[in-house]
């Protein structure tokens, strides 16, 4: 009897760490459906769900609670898709494994979005609990932004020139 109690206590202490090590997995839904604070809950109330982070140039970056087995494509769709400034040739998924090395996997979705035919094989990776998806990018240069700036400067200079000419013509009278 004493041996059973001691063995049960040791096993409870040993497995206690594993019970709380699963922070990125939850069973069922939290019931939260709004997007306050960039938390998006797309969990399945009757299934195991995982928590992943989506950063970068997507319409709704943030913290996502999604069903287990959600793919990178599905997460991007839930986030409203990439923005026009996204670099789709360098999408990164950072895999964080507790007790082992963290590593990064890169994906190229340029063909998928911009080309008429897919040139490279796209891997539809399934996300794991705790993954961080990064969609890099940078604001693109548009000529219309420069045109608007220079047109504003030119308009101001033309107004000043018209004022000076008006003052000179009034003084000549």
């Amino acid at each position: 009897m004493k041996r059973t109690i001691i063995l049960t206590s040791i096993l409870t202490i040993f497995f206690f760490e594993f019970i709380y090590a699963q922070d990125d997995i939850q069973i069922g839904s939290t019931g939260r459906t709004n997007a306050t604070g960039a938390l998006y809950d797309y969990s399945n109330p009757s299934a195991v769900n995982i928590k992943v982070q989506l950063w970068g140039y997507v319409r709704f970056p943030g913290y996502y609670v999604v069903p287990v087995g959600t793919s990178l494509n599905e997460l991007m769709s839930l986030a409203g898709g990439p923005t026009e400034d996204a670099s789709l040739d360098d999408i990164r998924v950072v895999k964080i494994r507790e007790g082992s090395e963290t590593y990064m996997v890169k994906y190229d979705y340029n063909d998928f979005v911009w080309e008429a035919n897919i040139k490279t094989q796209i891997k539809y990776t399934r996300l794991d609990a705790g993954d961080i998806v990064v969609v890099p990018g940078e604001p693109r240069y548009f000529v219309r932004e420069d045109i608007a700036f220079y047109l504003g400067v030119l308009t101001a200079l033309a107004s000043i020139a018209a004022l000076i000419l008006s003052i000179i013509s009034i003084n000549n009278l």
Side-chain angles (χ1 to χ4, degrees):
M1 177 72 177
K2 189 175 182 182
R3 183 180 281 169
T4 306
I5 293 173
I6 292 172
L7 184 59
T8 305
S9 300
I10 290 172
L11 288 175
T12 303
I13 291 170
F14 178 74
F15 286 111
F16 188 74
E17 178 182 335
F18 295 111
I19 291 171
Y20 289 103
Q22 303 291 330
D23 290 338
D24 294 325
I25 297 176
Q26 74 181 39
I27 297 177
S29 174
T30 60
R32 195 172 171 168
T33 56
N34 62 350
T36 306
L39 170 64
Y40 302 95
D41 189 350
Y42 292 102
S43 59
N44 183 346
S46 61
V48 175
N49 299 293
I50 59 174
K51 298 173 183 175
V52 294
Q53 299 173 47
L54 179 59
W55 300 348
Y57 287 83
V58 292
R59 186 162 182 207
F60 301 111
Y63 199 72
Y64 284 79
V65 181
V66 293
V68 114
T70 299
S71 68
L72 176 59
N73 315 13
E74 293 167 332
L75 181 66
M76 293 283 284
S77 295
L78 291 173
T83 63
E84 64 183 15
D85 300 332
S87 296
L88 297 178
D89 59 340
D90 194 23
I91 295 175
R92 304 169 197 164
V93 178
V94 178
K95 302 273 188 184
I96 300 174
R97 300 290 173 262
E98 196 165 322
S100 64
E101 196 170 310
T102 300
Y103 63 97
M104 178 172 41
V105 183
K106 293 185 178 184
Y107 297 95
D108 183 357
Y109 275 40
N110 251 354
D111 293 347
F112 185 67
V113 175
W114 300 114
E115 301 296 329
N117 297 318
I118 296 177
K119 297 176 186 172
T120 57
Q121 184 63 34
I122 297 175
K123 297 176 185 173
Y124 296 101
T125 183
R126 298 284 174 206
L127 298 170
D128 296 319
D131 284 355
I132 301 171
V133 179
V134 181
V135 181
E138 60 183 52
R140 296 188 183 187
Y141 172 75
F142 293 102
V143 176
R144 69 176 176 255
E145 295 169 2
D146 284 345
I147 290 173
F149 173 75
Y150 290 119
L151 193 58
V153 170
L154 184 63
T155 304
L157 290 174
S159 297
I160 292 171
L163 177 64
I164 292 172
L165 289 174
S166 295
I167 292 172
I168 292 173
S169 68
I170 289 173
N171 286 339
N172 288 339
L173 288 176

